[in-house]
């Protein structure tokens, strides 16, 4: 069965610092992978997605993620965090049937 | 383009009472999803519609939960009777035919007292 693990429940960084949020997945074949962001009181917004091809994926708001098959990982990165990036981040995997399996999320706090 | 609309945004009810949530997807999107998001967790799929047809309702607790999408546009999710454990955020999402991205609404936060 598919599953997603986000090992970090809560991460705190200073504004301007780099960020990496970890995501590990379990799936038999090459999955579809997604990162979503959820601000307080808001729905989820898609940051980026990986289906195939180049393993380094660029998304919105300056985020990128790298698919590493050997590590079953799809970590999200940003070189310089802004205070507005404070939110909950969810990694998700799909088996190509439109069914998304989400991780438990990582809450990002940004200090000025 | 208007996003996915959900109402109400917040609902407080007493246990054993019924409650209903409404969702209007993005115009032209034929796939509609209802998700349950418990506090501190990621969303979990309850039901997926392709037009009027529920194509995946395996995670919907059918003893108390029901959903409908009669005209293949907007949808209603109902709980009757509500239990304390139903307190959560209920998210609606939609996607176009053949699309690979789901667009989420802001959700309805339900509190059962």
């Amino acid at each position: 069965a598919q599953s997603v693990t986000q090992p970090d429940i809560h991460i705190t960084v200073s504004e301007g610092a780099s960020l990496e949020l970890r995501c590990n997945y379990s799936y038999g074949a090459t999955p579809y992978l997604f990162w979503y962001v959820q601000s307080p009181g808001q729905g989820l917004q898609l940051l980026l997605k990986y289906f195939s091809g180049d393993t380094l994926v660029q998304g919105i708001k300056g985020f990128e993620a790298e698919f590493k098959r050997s590590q079953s990982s799809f970590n999200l990165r940003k070189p310089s965090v802004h205070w507005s990036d404070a939110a909950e981040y969810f990694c998700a995997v799909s088996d190509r049937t439109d069914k998304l399996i989400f991780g438990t999320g990582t809450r990002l706090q940004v200090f000025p | 383009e208007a996003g996915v609309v959900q109402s109400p945004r917040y609902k407080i009810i007493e246990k054993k009472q019924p409650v209903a949530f409404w969702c209007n997807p993005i115009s032209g999107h034929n796939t509609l999803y209802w998700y349950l998001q418990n506090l501190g967790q990621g969303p979990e799929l309850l039901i997926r519609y392709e037009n009027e047809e529920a194509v995946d309702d395996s995670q919907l607790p059918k003893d108390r939960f029901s959903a409908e999408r009669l005209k293949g546009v907007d949808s209603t999710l109902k709980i009757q009777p509500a239990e304390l454990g139903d307190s959560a955020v209920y998210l609606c999402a939609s996607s176009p035919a053949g699309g690979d991205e789901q667009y989420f609404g802001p959700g309805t936060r339900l509190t059962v007292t």
Side-chain angles (χ1 to χ4, degrees):
Chain A
Q2 306 164 72
S3 66
V4 176
T5 301
Q6 293 183 249
D8 304 305
I9 297 174
H10 185 202
I11 284 183
T12 301
V13 300
S14 298
E15 190 169 20
S18 63
L19 172 70
E20 182 169 25
L21 303 183
R22 295 183 291 165
C23 173
N24 293 96
Y25 67 89
S26 174
Y27 183 65
T30 301
Y32 288 178
L33 294 161
F34 305 80
W35 274 101
Y36 282 85
V37 61
Q38 186 177 34
S39 298
Q42 303 297 314
L44 281 78
Q45 180 183 22
L46 181 67
L47 288 175
L48 46 80
K49 59 192 176 187
Y50 172 79
F51 290 169
S52 64
D54 192 345
T55 57
L56 185 61
V57 180
Q58 302 297 319
I60 63 171
K61 303 184 180 185
F63 286 93
E64 66 178 26
E66 186 171 12
F67 171 60
K68 293 185 177 180
R69 183 191 304 276
S70 62
Q71 299 176 19
S72 298
S73 69
F74 189 57
N75 294 350
L76 182 71
R77 302 193 295 247
K78 187 169 185 178
S80 178
V81 172
H82 188 261
W83 63 266
S84 61
D85 293 324
E88 187 95 21
Y89 291 80
F90 292 95
C91 181
V93 63
S94 166
D95 64 358
R96 312 180 189 192
T97 63
D98 292 340
K99 183 171 183 176
L100 285 175
I101 305 296
F102 286 88
T104 52
T106 297
R107 179 170 298 279
L108 174 65
Q109 191 171 9
V110 181
F111 280 116
Chain B
E1 176 181 86
V4 176
V5 179
Q6 291 189 246
S7 69
R9 293 292 311 275
Y10 305 90
K11 187 74 175 179
I12 301 174
I13 61 171
E14 294 182 347
K15 62 182 180 181
K16 301 184 181 180
Q17 294 301 306
V19 64
F21 315 125
W22 177 80
C23 172
N24 191 30
I26 293 173
S27 178
H29 284 194
N30 69 323
T31 306
L32 184 146
Y33 313 78
W34 282 103
Y35 287 87
L36 165 68
Q37 185 176 20
N38 286 305
L39 185 65
Q41 301 294 317
E44 299 173 25
L45 181 68
L46 288 172
I47 188 168
R48 174 168 66 99
Y49 282 94
E50 295 286 347
N51 300 306
E52 305 88 356
E53 182 181 1
V55 296
D56 184 355
D57 63 355
S58 57
Q59 300 303 310
L60 189 72
K62 299 180 182 65
D63 57 335
R64 298 184 300 107
F65 286 65
S66 64
E68 60 183 16
R69 194 185 184 198
L70 295 177
K71 297 183 179 179
V73 180
D74 57 348
S75 176
T76 302
L77 178 69
K78 298 178 181 178
I79 308 175
Q80 182 170 10
E83 298 179 351
L84 294 176
D86 296 331
S87 295
V89 176
Y90 292 82
L91 294 166
C92 180
S94 69
S95 63
D100 51 36
E101 178 178 349
Q102 296 182 26
Y103 296 80
F104 284 80
T108 296
R109 180 176 297 276
L110 173 67
T111 302
V112 182
T113 63

